[in-house]
């Protein structure tokens, strides 16, 4: 994938946060910058809201990749990790395997713009992201949730973010959205199902077409490595009968 208009808006919002400072960043897969001219006005408004003085068309590098955009958005100097060197990734590594120790705690910001859905061992990929984030670092992810047939190995549900990152890994979940690839469709906040004890039910129809599961998490002081997570609604059902199964 790459940074389209829908992700452009969300990442500019993230970079404009007062508690986000640019540092060393990593893209999982070298992300392209996909300017969509039909949304030109949305690009201009998003840049103005974020206080970024730039033209969206100029935020792609000469080779079409997204490093200049991330820099302008306040998300830092980005490196890339990929299983192949064919797009010029600085770090050639298969995310199905543990990352080398010299990359542990190396990055302030990591962006997954549709890479983990192509990794067979998704739990190992998540463990790698956790290991590579610095304490206080932020991970932003956008993978297929619906409408991406034949695209990757997986499509993901919101509990993927809440159960793994919040409860299993002890990170702060900043937001979880059903994000339509069509930016004219508003994103839908997806709360933690553990708060209600039942699977999510939307109060409006689910968007048609391609929809990302987009989420942002921060690796806080209480974070810990995790390889397993229980689905939220099952945790709620089991809490009284078998509390040891729901302990962090």
């Amino acid at each position: 994938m790459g940074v389209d208009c829908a992700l452009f808006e969300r990442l500019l919002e993230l970079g404009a946060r007062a508690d986000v400072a640019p540092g060393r960043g990593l893209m999982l897969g070298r992300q392209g910058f996909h300017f969509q001219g039909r949304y030109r006005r949305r690009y201009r408004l998003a840049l103005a809201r974020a206080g970024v003085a730039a033209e969206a068309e100029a935020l792609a590098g000469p080779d079409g990749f997204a490093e200049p955009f991330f820099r302008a958005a306040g998300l830092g100097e980005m490196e890339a990790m990929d299983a192949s060197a064919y797009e010029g990734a600085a770090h050639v590594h298969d995310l199905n395997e543990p990352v080398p120790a010299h990359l542990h705690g190396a990055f302030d910001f990591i962006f997954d713009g549709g890479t983990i859905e192509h990794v067979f061992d998704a739990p190992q990929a998540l463990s790698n992201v956790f290991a590579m984030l610095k304490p206080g670092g932020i991970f932003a992810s956008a993978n297929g949730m619906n409408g991406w047939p034949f695209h990757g190995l997986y499509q993901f549900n919101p509990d993927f973010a809440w159960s793994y990152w919040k409860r299993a890994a002890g990170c702060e979940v900043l937001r979880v959205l059903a994000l339509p690839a069509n930016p004219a469709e508003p994103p839908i906040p997806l709360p933690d199902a553990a708060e209600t004890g039942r699977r999510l039910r939307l109060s409006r129809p689910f968007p048609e077409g391609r929809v990302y599961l987009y989420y942002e998490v921060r690796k806080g002081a209480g974070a810990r490595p995790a390889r397993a997570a229980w689905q939220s609604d099952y945790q709620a059902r089991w809490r009284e009968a078998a509390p040891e199964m729901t302990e962090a």
Side-chain angles (χ1 to χ4, degrees):
M1 291 185 187
V3 178
D4 60 11
C5 186
L7 295 175
F8 180 90
E9 293 178 331
R10 301 286 81 76
L11 291 167
L12 279 173
E13 290 174 358
L14 177 61
R17 287 177 57 126
D19 57 347
V20 175
R24 187 182 182 190
L26 181 72
M27 297 179 274
L28 304 184
R30 194 174 180 200
Q31 299 293 311
F33 185 81
H34 303 320
F35 179 75
Q36 297 167 286
R38 63 189 180 278
Y39 301 126
R40 192 176 304 274
R41 183 171 182 273
R42 297 191 68 97
Y43 283 101
R44 287 200 301 265
L45 291 173
L47 287 164
R49 286 193 299 269
V52 176
E55 293 293 329
E57 299 97 317
L59 294 179
D63 47 7
F65 290 106
E67 286 91 343
F69 163 69
F70 284 102
R71 188 181 305 118
L75 293 169
E77 296 296 325
M78 301 296 285
E79 302 164 30
M81 174 177 285
D82 208 331
S84 168
Y86 85 108
E87 287 186 322
H91 307 279
V92 178
H93 181 81
D94 179 0
L95 286 171
N96 288 292
E97 303 295 334
V99 291
H102 74 270
L103 292 178
H104 288 195
F107 298 102
D108 301 280
F109 174 66
I110 299 176
F111 177 63
D112 171 20
T115 292
I116 289 180
E117 64 194 24
H118 300 281
V119 178
F120 179 74
D121 194 344
Q124 180 61 62
L126 292 176
S127 294
N128 286 334
V129 171
F130 181 92
M132 290 189 290
L133 274 178
K134 290 181 181 180
I138 289 177
F139 174 51
S141 175
N143 281 270
M145 182 177 181
N146 197 48
W148 300 87
F150 322 122
H151 183 79
L153 297 176
Y154 304 103
Q155 294 188 88
F156 295 112
N157 283 311
D159 219 56
F160 191 71
W162 291 110
S163 289
Y164 178 82
W165 287 106
K166 181 180 178 180
R167 279 178 292 284
C171 293
E172 177 189 3
V173 177
L174 303 177
R175 59 177 171 175
V176 181
L177 303 173
L179 180 65
N182 175 3
E185 291 277 346
I188 301 174
L190 299 171
D192 185 358
E195 296 179 0
T196 63
R198 64 180 189 177
R199 291 175 190 172
L200 293 178
R201 291 172 172 82
L202 299 181
S203 59
R204 66 187 192 193
F206 196 79
E208 295 183 359
R210 290 181 165 184
V211 180
Y212 300 108
L213 173 64
Y214 176 84
Y215 63 85
E216 301 159 355
V217 299
R218 188 191 304 275
K219 184 179 180 179
R224 64 264 178 184
R227 279 287 294 177
W230 295 105
Q231 191 171 330
S232 300
D233 59 306
Y234 288 127
Q235 284 186 305
R237 295 179 196 181
W238 297 334
R239 188 171 293 118
E240 292 185 6
E244 70 280 0
M245 297 184 71
T246 65
E247 293 177 357

